[in-house]
Amino acid sequence: VRDEAGRDVQEMRKVLKESVKGLGPTGLDIFCRRVQGKWEEVFPFVDGRTAKALRGLGLPDGGEGLRALVDVSWGELDGEIVEDGDEEERKRKGFVRILEGAVGAELEGKREVVMERAGKMEVQWL
């Protein structure tokens, strides 16, 4: 898919949509959100649903803003959320873990639990 699309994200989405029956915009968003840990050309991707969940947690809701937050906080996060890959890949995977956690908290109605746990962390947010 990556090679067929010339590693262009919009073209990848088009190829996937044409190749996978029933795959729509939401499924493509979920795919892009998760695959960016491995596919650097997709990073930093934040879809609308995830942006809403991030805002609800008081986190930057755009890809570049959250990427900057991960970079600033990396010393506190590295090794706690991902173990394998080079540093840039670990950062991307950490970014994905944050996105998935935010969406999960939103879907499960556990935003307060996440906020409480985050309040106990010593990570300095922007």
Side-chain angles (χ1 to χ4, degrees):
V1 171
R2 293 166 80 188
D3 292 337
E4 184 177 338
R7 296 188 182 252
D8 176 82
V9 176
Q10 293 307 317
E11 189 62 26
M12 280 189 252
R13 290 174 68 97
K14 182 180 173 188
V15 169
L16 283 166
K17 187 172 183 174
E18 292 170 355
S19 302
V20 181
K21 184 179 179 180
L23 185 61
T26 300
L28 288 166
D29 285 347
I30 293 167
F31 177 81
C32 287
R33 183 172 68 225
R34 293 179 177 173
V35 78
Q36 66 186 317
K38 286 286 190 184
W39 293 5
E40 65 275 0
E41 61 270 21
V42 180
F43 181 72
F45 175 82
V46 176
D47 60 273
R49 177 179 209 129
T50 306
K52 179 183 175 205
L54 291 166
R55 275 191 304 276
L57 293 171
L59 294 169
D61 62 358
E64 290 300 332
L66 189 60
R67 173 192 223 165
L69 178 60
V70 169
D71 282 341
V72 167
S73 306
W74 190 246
E76 299 288 327
L77 298 172
D78 190 21
E80 291 187 29
I81 54 178
V82 289
E83 294 82 28
D84 62 328
D86 64 28
E87 184 173 32
E88 289 306 309
E89 185 176 347
R90 289 194 319 271
K91 284 183 181 181
R92 290 192 312 270
K93 289 178 179 180
F95 184 92
V96 171
R97 295 270 314 263
I98 291 166
L99 299 180
E100 292 295 320
V103 170
E106 184 77 20
L107 290 172
E108 295 173 15
K110 295 185 177 182
R111 183 186 307 162
E112 291 76 23
V113 173
V114 172
M115 295 295 288
E116 183 180 317
R117 287 183 185 165
K120 294 177 183 176
M121 294 177 67
E122 295 181 20
V123 175
Q124 296 298 314
W125 302 110
L126 297 178

